[in-house]
Amino acid sequence: MATLKALVVDDASFVRDLVKRTIRQRFPVIETTDAQNGRRAQSLMSRGMFDLILCDWEMPEMSGLELLQWMRQQPQYEKVPFIMITSRGDKSHVIEAVKEGVSEYLGKPFSPDGLSKKIIKVMGSTLTTAMGQSGKSMAGPADAFKESAALLTQKREPAPAQESQPTPTAGALVPQSAEVPKPTMAKGAMSLASIRFADSTLKSVVKDINLTEVRVIAKRDQTFPGILDQAVVDIETGEGQMARLNGYVHQLQAVDKRKDADFVSVTIRFVDEDPKKMEDLSRFIARFRAGKR
């Protein structure tokens, strides 16, 4: 029986399901509730009490940072653990979150093991005691991501065009993805993209892109992910703005019909449901297609 309660906050239902599945499999004493943005999370937190908050940074209506700021002003939530799970990994944002009272920071993409370690770290004896009283151990399934294949392959309608990481002490918390490679727009139709996975980063060239997926070409001498692996696509959308799009690996294919092909085509399906990200992506797509003419 669950004795602890966690609130999972992210605008992408795929990510919420991924986090909830990992918690359910590895920590059966934790009951999960989810919210699609900070405003909804604030409403749920005002009506009930949660022992752990796992929250994305970039969300419509109310961001993760705004939710954290509000939460730390509430006496009942002043010391409740808050884990920020986000693709925003630059050091300045980490320091900003630390100053506002974040408990831990987990960069996307993350592994079930990475998420589990953060939960164990911030909940400490509270979680250990609850697991002990229930007769459960901390051990969980080998990989909760592989059990999420059904979630990953569900049909998704196009959106409208509109980590071993340090302890969170001010000035010291730097996530695994703190130094995110910055892709740049090249001349003509060529656009570079960095695709981040839990344990590697793939340098690639964008060949085609729409609001639901991107197809890139990458040299074979790099470390490649597996089908269904979680990914974050970093693309410069213009004027110094960076789009960090969450997704998963949908397809891997050799570019040439040769066993020794030098290039591999990788298709990433997007899972973000944030209208702002879709607007940024729409602008990039327009520029990308204009450059191909």
mmCIF file of all heavy atoms in Angstrom, residues 145-172:
data_model
loop_
_atom_site.group_PDB
_atom_site.id
_atom_site.type_symbol
_atom_site.label_atom_id
_atom_site.label_comp_id
_atom_site.label_asym_id
_atom_site.label_seq_id
_atom_site.Cartn_x
_atom_site.Cartn_y
_atom_site.Cartn_z
ATOM 1 N N PHE A 145 12.110 2.119 -19.099
ATOM 2 C CA PHE A 145 11.880 2.700 -20.419
ATOM 3 C C PHE A 145 11.442 1.637 -21.420
ATOM 4 O O PHE A 145 10.594 1.873 -22.271
ATOM 5 C CB PHE A 145 13.162 3.364 -20.948
ATOM 6 C CG PHE A 145 13.419 4.706 -20.355
ATOM 7 C CD1 PHE A 145 14.557 4.950 -19.617
ATOM 8 C CD2 PHE A 145 12.514 5.741 -20.527
ATOM 9 C CE1 PHE A 145 14.790 6.187 -19.061
ATOM 10 C CE2 PHE A 145 12.755 6.995 -19.982
ATOM 11 C CZ PHE A 145 13.891 7.206 -19.249
ATOM 12 N N LYS A 146 12.019 0.452 -21.352
ATOM 13 C CA LYS A 146 11.686 -0.593 -22.312
ATOM 14 C C LYS A 146 10.240 -1.041 -22.161
ATOM 15 O O LYS A 146 9.622 -1.502 -23.110
ATOM 16 C CB LYS A 146 12.621 -1.800 -22.128
ATOM 17 C CG LYS A 146 14.095 -1.469 -22.302
ATOM 18 C CD LYS A 146 14.387 -0.789 -23.626
ATOM 19 C CE LYS A 146 15.857 -0.442 -23.768
ATOM 20 N NZ LYS A 146 16.115 0.333 -24.984
ATOM 21 N N GLU A 147 9.698 -0.871 -20.954
ATOM 22 C CA GLU A 147 8.313 -1.259 -20.728
ATOM 23 C C GLU A 147 7.351 -0.172 -21.182
ATOM 24 O O GLU A 147 6.141 -0.313 -21.096
ATOM 25 C CB GLU A 147 8.098 -1.564 -19.247
ATOM 26 C CG GLU A 147 8.971 -2.726 -18.761
ATOM 27 C CD GLU A 147 8.839 -2.951 -17.274
ATOM 28 O OE1 GLU A 147 7.949 -2.312 -16.660
ATOM 29 O OE2 GLU A 147 9.592 -3.753 -16.730
ATOM 30 N N SER A 148 7.901 0.948 -21.669
ATOM 31 C CA SER A 148 7.062 2.056 -22.097
ATOM 32 C C SER A 148 6.847 2.079 -23.607
ATOM 33 O O SER A 148 6.402 3.072 -24.165
ATOM 34 C CB SER A 148 7.704 3.394 -21.671
ATOM 35 O OG SER A 148 7.866 3.430 -20.285
ATOM 36 N N ALA A 149 7.157 0.996 -24.288
ATOM 37 C CA ALA A 149 7.055 0.968 -25.744
ATOM 38 C C ALA A 149 5.648 1.287 -26.232
ATOM 39 O O ALA A 149 5.464 1.981 -27.224
ATOM 40 C CB ALA A 149 7.489 -0.403 -26.271
ATOM 41 N N ALA A 150 4.651 0.786 -25.519
ATOM 42 C CA ALA A 150 3.268 1.046 -25.930
ATOM 43 C C ALA A 150 2.960 2.535 -25.878
ATOM 44 O O ALA A 150 2.279 3.082 -26.741
ATOM 45 C CB ALA A 150 2.303 0.277 -25.031
ATOM 46 N N LEU A 151 3.486 3.225 -24.866
ATOM 47 C CA LEU A 151 3.265 4.665 -24.736
ATOM 48 C C LEU A 151 3.945 5.404 -25.888
ATOM 49 O O LEU A 151 3.398 6.344 -26.464
ATOM 50 C CB LEU A 151 3.830 5.169 -23.402
ATOM 51 C CG LEU A 151 3.153 4.632 -22.140
ATOM 52 C CD1 LEU A 151 3.951 5.071 -20.929
ATOM 53 C CD2 LEU A 151 1.726 5.124 -22.050
ATOM 54 N N LEU A 152 5.149 4.969 -26.214
ATOM 55 C CA LEU A 152 5.933 5.646 -27.223
ATOM 56 C C LEU A 152 5.322 5.539 -28.615
ATOM 57 O O LEU A 152 5.445 6.441 -29.440
ATOM 58 C CB LEU A 152 7.340 5.051 -27.269
ATOM 59 C CG LEU A 152 8.232 5.358 -26.069
ATOM 60 C CD1 LEU A 152 9.445 4.450 -26.114
ATOM 61 C CD2 LEU A 152 8.664 6.800 -26.065
ATOM 62 N N THR A 153 4.678 4.415 -28.889
ATOM 63 C CA THR A 153 4.187 4.180 -30.234
ATOM 64 C C THR A 153 2.732 4.566 -30.434
ATOM 65 O O THR A 153 2.162 4.325 -31.489
ATOM 66 C CB THR A 153 4.354 2.689 -30.594
ATOM 67 O OG1 THR A 153 3.729 1.889 -29.572
ATOM 68 C CG2 THR A 153 5.821 2.311 -30.677
ATOM 69 N N GLN A 154 2.118 5.180 -29.427
ATOM 70 C CA GLN A 154 0.745 5.641 -29.597
ATOM 71 C C GLN A 154 0.702 6.746 -30.652
ATOM 72 O O GLN A 154 1.606 7.562 -30.747
ATOM 73 C CB GLN A 154 0.199 6.203 -28.272
ATOM 74 C CG GLN A 154 -0.129 5.117 -27.271
ATOM 75 C CD GLN A 154 -0.591 5.730 -25.962
ATOM 76 O OE1 GLN A 154 -0.522 6.931 -25.778
ATOM 77 N NE2 GLN A 154 -1.053 4.900 -25.069
ATOM 78 N N LYS A 155 -0.367 6.789 -31.446
ATOM 79 C CA LYS A 155 -0.521 7.826 -32.467
ATOM 80 C C LYS A 155 -0.710 9.169 -31.802
ATOM 81 O O LYS A 155 -1.478 9.316 -30.863
ATOM 82 C CB LYS A 155 -1.723 7.509 -33.366
ATOM 83 C CG LYS A 155 -1.914 8.527 -34.485
ATOM 84 C CD LYS A 155 -3.080 8.142 -35.364
ATOM 85 C CE LYS A 155 -3.275 9.157 -36.474
ATOM 86 N NZ LYS A 155 -4.420 8.823 -37.332
ATOM 87 N N ARG A 156 0.000 10.169 -32.275
ATOM 88 C CA ARG A 156 -0.081 11.511 -31.700
ATOM 89 C C ARG A 156 -0.458 12.502 -32.777
ATOM 90 O O ARG A 156 0.143 12.540 -33.838
ATOM 91 C CB ARG A 156 1.269 11.892 -31.083
ATOM 92 C CG ARG A 156 1.320 13.311 -30.527
ATOM 93 C CD ARG A 156 2.626 13.519 -29.764
ATOM 94 N NE ARG A 156 2.771 14.890 -29.381
ATOM 95 C CZ ARG A 156 3.470 15.782 -30.085
ATOM 96 N NH1 ARG A 156 4.040 15.422 -31.195
ATOM 97 N NH2 ARG A 156 3.587 17.025 -29.671
ATOM 98 N N GLU A 157 -1.465 13.313 -32.491
ATOM 99 C CA GLU A 157 -1.910 14.309 -33.469
ATOM 100 C C GLU A 157 -0.928 15.476 -33.512
ATOM 101 O O GLU A 157 -0.415 15.899 -32.478
ATOM 102 C CB GLU A 157 -3.301 14.843 -33.091
ATOM 103 C CG GLU A 157 -4.393 13.794 -33.168
ATOM 104 C CD GLU A 157 -4.559 13.241 -34.573
ATOM 105 O OE1 GLU A 157 -4.430 14.049 -35.534
ATOM 106 O OE2 GLU A 157 -4.788 12.041 -34.723
ATOM 107 N N PRO A 158 -0.654 16.022 -34.686
ATOM 108 C CA PRO A 158 0.255 17.166 -34.780
ATOM 109 C C PRO A 158 -0.278 18.353 -33.974
ATOM 110 O O PRO A 158 -1.476 18.610 -33.960
ATOM 111 C CB PRO A 158 0.271 17.485 -36.286
ATOM 112 C CG PRO A 158 -0.179 16.221 -36.952
ATOM 113 C CD PRO A 158 -1.143 15.591 -36.003
ATOM 114 N N ALA A 159 0.651 19.064 -33.331
ATOM 115 C CA ALA A 159 0.257 20.239 -32.554
ATOM 116 C C ALA A 159 0.013 21.403 -33.500
ATOM 117 O O ALA A 159 0.615 21.492 -34.563
ATOM 118 C CB ALA A 159 1.362 20.609 -31.569
ATOM 119 N N PRO A 160 -0.880 22.320 -33.119
ATOM 120 C CA PRO A 160 -1.143 23.473 -33.982
ATOM 121 C C PRO A 160 0.068 24.381 -34.051
ATOM 122 O O PRO A 160 0.828 24.456 -33.097
ATOM 123 C CB PRO A 160 -2.322 24.165 -33.285
ATOM 124 C CG PRO A 160 -2.218 23.742 -31.863
ATOM 125 C CD PRO A 160 -1.690 22.343 -31.893
ATOM 126 N N ALA A 161 0.270 25.067 -35.182
ATOM 127 C CA ALA A 161 1.450 25.921 -35.309
ATOM 128 C C ALA A 161 1.247 27.142 -34.463
ATOM 129 O O ALA A 161 0.657 28.087 -34.848
ATOM 130 C CB ALA A 161 1.663 26.295 -36.780
ATOM 131 N N GLN A 162 1.448 27.308 -33.547
ATOM 132 C CA GLN A 162 1.387 28.519 -32.739
ATOM 133 C C GLN A 162 2.857 28.637 -32.221
ATOM 134 O O GLN A 162 3.287 29.644 -32.081
ATOM 135 C CB GLN A 162 0.506 28.510 -31.501
ATOM 136 C CG GLN A 162 -0.798 27.855 -31.676
ATOM 137 C CD GLN A 162 -1.621 27.852 -30.450
ATOM 138 O OE1 GLN A 162 -2.288 28.831 -30.317
ATOM 139 N NE2 GLN A 162 -1.571 26.865 -29.615
ATOM 140 N N GLU A 163 23.261 10.459 -15.207
ATOM 141 C CA GLU A 163 23.511 11.674 -14.752
ATOM 142 C C GLU A 163 24.072 11.536 -13.356
ATOM 143 O O GLU A 163 23.392 11.681 -12.424
ATOM 144 C CB GLU A 163 22.208 12.253 -14.692
ATOM 145 C CG GLU A 163 21.842 12.643 -16.046
ATOM 146 C CD GLU A 163 20.687 13.417 -16.101
ATOM 147 O OE1 GLU A 163 20.806 14.499 -15.883
ATOM 148 O OE2 GLU A 163 19.747 12.920 -16.350
ATOM 149 N N SER A 164 25.212 11.206 -13.100
ATOM 150 C CA SER A 164 25.669 11.416 -11.721
ATOM 151 C C SER A 164 25.917 12.894 -11.580
ATOM 152 O O SER A 164 26.859 13.426 -12.161
ATOM 153 C CB SER A 164 26.958 10.634 -11.412
ATOM 154 O OG SER A 164 27.418 10.954 -10.142
ATOM 155 N N GLN A 165 25.189 13.500 -10.677
ATOM 156 C CA GLN A 165 25.189 14.941 -10.616
ATOM 157 C C GLN A 165 25.441 15.421 -9.191
ATOM 158 O O GLN A 165 25.062 14.773 -8.224
ATOM 159 C CB GLN A 165 23.845 15.467 -11.124
ATOM 160 C CG GLN A 165 23.602 15.020 -12.562
ATOM 161 C CD GLN A 165 22.193 15.239 -13.007
ATOM 162 O OE1 GLN A 165 21.358 15.690 -12.220
ATOM 163 N NE2 GLN A 165 21.901 14.892 -14.236
ATOM 164 N N PRO A 166 26.050 16.597 -9.050
ATOM 165 C CA PRO A 166 26.435 17.085 -7.730
ATOM 166 C C PRO A 166 25.259 17.418 -6.828
ATOM 167 O O PRO A 166 24.144 17.651 -7.270
ATOM 168 C CB PRO A 166 27.234 18.366 -8.054
ATOM 169 C CG PRO A 166 27.649 18.202 -9.477
ATOM 170 C CD PRO A 166 26.557 17.426 -10.126
ATOM 171 N N THR A 167 25.533 17.482 -5.568
ATOM 172 C CA THR A 167 24.556 17.879 -4.570
ATOM 173 C C THR A 167 24.180 19.336 -4.766
ATOM 174 O O THR A 167 25.032 20.165 -5.072
ATOM 175 C CB THR A 167 25.160 17.699 -3.151
ATOM 176 O OG1 THR A 167 25.586 16.350 -3.026
ATOM 177 C CG2 THR A 167 24.153 18.043 -2.077
ATOM 178 N N PRO A 168 22.892 19.711 -4.560
ATOM 179 C CA PRO A 168 22.449 21.077 -4.835
ATOM 180 C C PRO A 168 22.848 22.093 -3.794
ATOM 181 O O PRO A 168 22.087 22.399 -2.891
ATOM 182 C CB PRO A 168 20.922 20.929 -4.889
ATOM 183 C CG PRO A 168 20.632 19.793 -3.980
ATOM 184 C CD PRO A 168 21.783 18.855 -4.162
ATOM 185 N N THR A 169 24.071 22.615 -3.913
ATOM 186 C CA THR A 169 24.495 23.703 -3.050
ATOM 187 C C THR A 169 24.825 24.869 -3.944
ATOM 188 O O THR A 169 25.405 24.695 -5.019
ATOM 189 C CB THR A 169 25.734 23.306 -2.221
ATOM 190 O OG1 THR A 169 26.745 22.832 -3.112
ATOM 191 C CG2 THR A 169 25.385 22.210 -1.221
ATOM 192 N N ALA A 170 24.479 26.069 -3.510
ATOM 193 C CA ALA A 170 24.624 27.245 -4.363
ATOM 194 C C ALA A 170 26.026 27.351 -4.930
ATOM 195 O O ALA A 170 27.017 27.226 -4.222
ATOM 196 C CB ALA A 170 24.290 28.507 -3.555
ATOM 197 N N GLY A 171 26.104 27.563 -6.223
ATOM 198 C CA GLY A 171 27.378 27.748 -6.883
ATOM 199 C C GLY A 171 28.075 26.445 -7.236
ATOM 200 O O GLY A 171 29.104 26.440 -7.876
ATOM 201 N N ALA A 172 27.537 25.283 -6.781
ATOM 202 C CA ALA A 172 28.223 24.013 -7.008
ATOM 203 C C ALA A 172 27.415 23.042 -7.831
ATOM 204 O O ALA A 172 27.959 22.094 -8.368
ATOM 205 C CB ALA A 172 28.569 23.375 -5.659
#
